[in-house]
Structures are given as structure tokens and as C-alpha cells.
Amino acid sequence: MAAPSAFEVVVPGSIWVTERPVWFGGVRLRSRTTVVRLSGDALWVHSPCTPTDDVCAALDAVGEVRWIVVPNRFHHLQTPATAARYPNALVVGPRSAQSRNPRVRLAMGTDDPAYIRSTPELASIQLRGVPFLDETVFFHPASGSLIAADLLMSACARDHWTWRAAARIWGRYEKVRTPPDVRMHARANAAVADSIAQMRALPLQRILVAHADPITDRPAQQLAEAWDFAIPSHLRQPGATL
């Protein structure tokens, strides 16, 4: 199946992404929406972008939007508009996003049995131990894709000069790391170590996040390096399981 005109193909006939500029903390980032086509032509829309006519026409060309996913407490801004455009779709995500944006109407959480039964093509993994972010990531076994929002980030030559400059200061230019605000609010603990270990153990082919190009070079290793600061010292001892 051809890639929708408003989207870039990641996995033919299965996963697409689109980017839009967003200003955050005085820098202009690229923010990505990821779309996965599930069985029955159901579309799963992660961190939705503004539902323009072009975007919606591209979505409608490949399936029916049935799931609108709020991945964490921050990526919710375009959810109400997308839900209004697709009233039959179900919005899933953390209650913390709803408390930050009262216009977000969640049907259920990503740990709800009804959601899990309805999306067997995707596995939900909560990033535990980082309440500041309250993020759930999703693994698509058929393509080896880990789909997240603020799990990781990086800047490159394609980014706006404001983010390129800031990324050099923060050590995130052409380096995969956690977002600076996540790093400041996260502390080493066993829960986050266990979550990262669970992700690292997956047969990863790529990691798709909101604010970086697809991470395809040593994705598990780069994930581990980025979150190394959050691994408690006792789990670094020889023989300890990370």
C-alpha cells in the first residue's frame, strides 16, 4: 500500500509517521505522530497532530481511526480536536493527561483489559518509576518497532537552529538521550530499571519517538545508554539482573 501523502512510510502498509513543528521551552522541535494499521483496517493514532483536511484524508485512505493514543501526561494537545473529528474512535491514555487538559475525554487506560484485548498487535509497557512523565510505550512485534513519545530525544541537522543550539548545550546533538526535563525529574530506582530492562530485552529493530529521527542504529544499546543514570547502583553489581 502506498504511503498516505501527508505521511512518511516507516513499515510499508503498517506504520506511518508525520511531523509538525512545535515550540517548547523557547526552541522549535519536530514532533511526530505515529499511525499503526491494525487488523480490520483499524488505525491506531499515537500522539495525534492537528487533524487538518490533508491529514484526515490521508488517514481515511488507509483505514478507520479507532484508537487515539495519549502516550503521557504532556502529549495531549491535539487529542480533543482529533476526537471531535473521529467521534467513533476511543481515546486511551493516563489520567494525568486528563487532569492537565480537561478537554481530554479518556475512554480507558492503556492497561485496561478491553484495550489490550482489542489491540493484540501491540504490547503496552509502562515506564514505571518516572511519575513526572507517566508514559506508556508500545511494542509492535511484527516490525520490531518500539513506539514512544518522550522516552528518548535527539537533534540533528534537520532540526531548527534553536533546537540544534540548545541540543549542543544539553549534550543531545546527534546523541540519543532522555529529554532534559525528564532527566531533571527522574531519579534512579528499581521500577524504572525494570521497565528499561523489559524494553531492552525486546527484539528491537527501531525506536520511534516524538522528537528525534527513527532510532535504528543499535536501538537497545542506545536506549540503555540514555537511561543509564536511572539504574540503581546495586543493580550494576556483577550478576545483578538489569
Side-chain angles (χ1 to χ4, degrees):
M1 179 176 293
S5 59
F7 288 80
E8 175 185 350
V9 65
V10 176
V11 178
S14 183
I15 301 179
W16 299 267
V17 296
T18 187
E19 295 178 348
R20 73 276 190 189
V22 295
W23 285 92
F24 181 79
V27 302
R28 195 178 85 178
L29 303 170
R30 290 177 292 138
S31 190
R32 178 177 291 106
T33 292
T34 301
V35 176
V36 179
R37 193 164 70 130
L38 308 178
S39 62
D41 291 339
L43 297 184
W44 181 91
V45 182
H46 179 274
S47 186
C49 60
T50 303
T52 64
D53 289 344
D54 286 346
V55 165
C56 292
L59 291 171
D60 296 342
V62 295
E64 177 187 354
V65 176
R66 296 184 194 168
W67 301 99
I68 300 170
V69 182
V70 181
N72 61 34
R73 64 194 295 260
F74 298 107
H75 279 250
H76 54 72
L77 293 179
Q78 296 304 321
T79 297
T82 304
R85 190 72 180 250
Y86 294 100
N88 293 327
L90 296 177
V91 179
V92 297
R95 297 295 173 187
S96 57
Q98 190 168 260
S99 65
R100 288 178 60 86
N101 185 351
R103 296 179 58 234
V104 172
R105 297 287 185 265
L106 297 177
M108 63 188 76
T110 54
D111 58 349
D112 190 290
Y115 166 77
I116 294 171
R117 286 195 303 270
S118 299
T119 57
E121 300 92 340
L122 293 161
S124 303
I125 304 170
Q126 185 182 7
L127 177 60
R128 296 182 296 111
V130 191
F132 167 77
L133 195 54
D134 198 12
E135 176 153 357
T136 297
V137 305
F138 305 88
F139 183 59
H140 185 249
S143 67
S145 302
L146 187 68
I147 302 167
D150 296 320
L151 178 71
L152 301 166
M153 78 181 313
S154 180
C156 69
R158 294 181 57 213
D159 284 292
H160 191 260
W161 71 267
T162 55
W163 173 224
R164 295 200 310 270
R168 291 181 187 279
I169 295 171
W170 286 100
R172 283 154 176 80
Y173 186 77
E174 296 186 345
K175 294 180 181 179
V176 175
R177 297 290 185 267
T178 60
D181 55 346
V182 174
R183 176 65 180 87
M184 288 187 291
H185 287 88
R187 298 293 180 268
N189 64 79
V192 69
D194 183 67
S195 295
I196 296 301
Q198 187 178 354
M199 297 177 207
R200 287 181 57 197
L202 297 168
L204 299 178
Q205 296 296 314
R206 65 184 60 80
I207 303 176
L208 304 175
V209 293
H211 311 300
D213 285 342
I215 300 164
T216 57
D217 177 32
R218 302 172 295 111
Q221 181 178 338
Q222 293 205 68
L223 171 66
E225 291 171 355
W227 280 92
D228 182 68
F229 72 92
I231 309 305
S233 58
H234 70 277
L235 293 180
R236 301 174 185 273
Q237 296 173 2
T241 301
L242 181 61

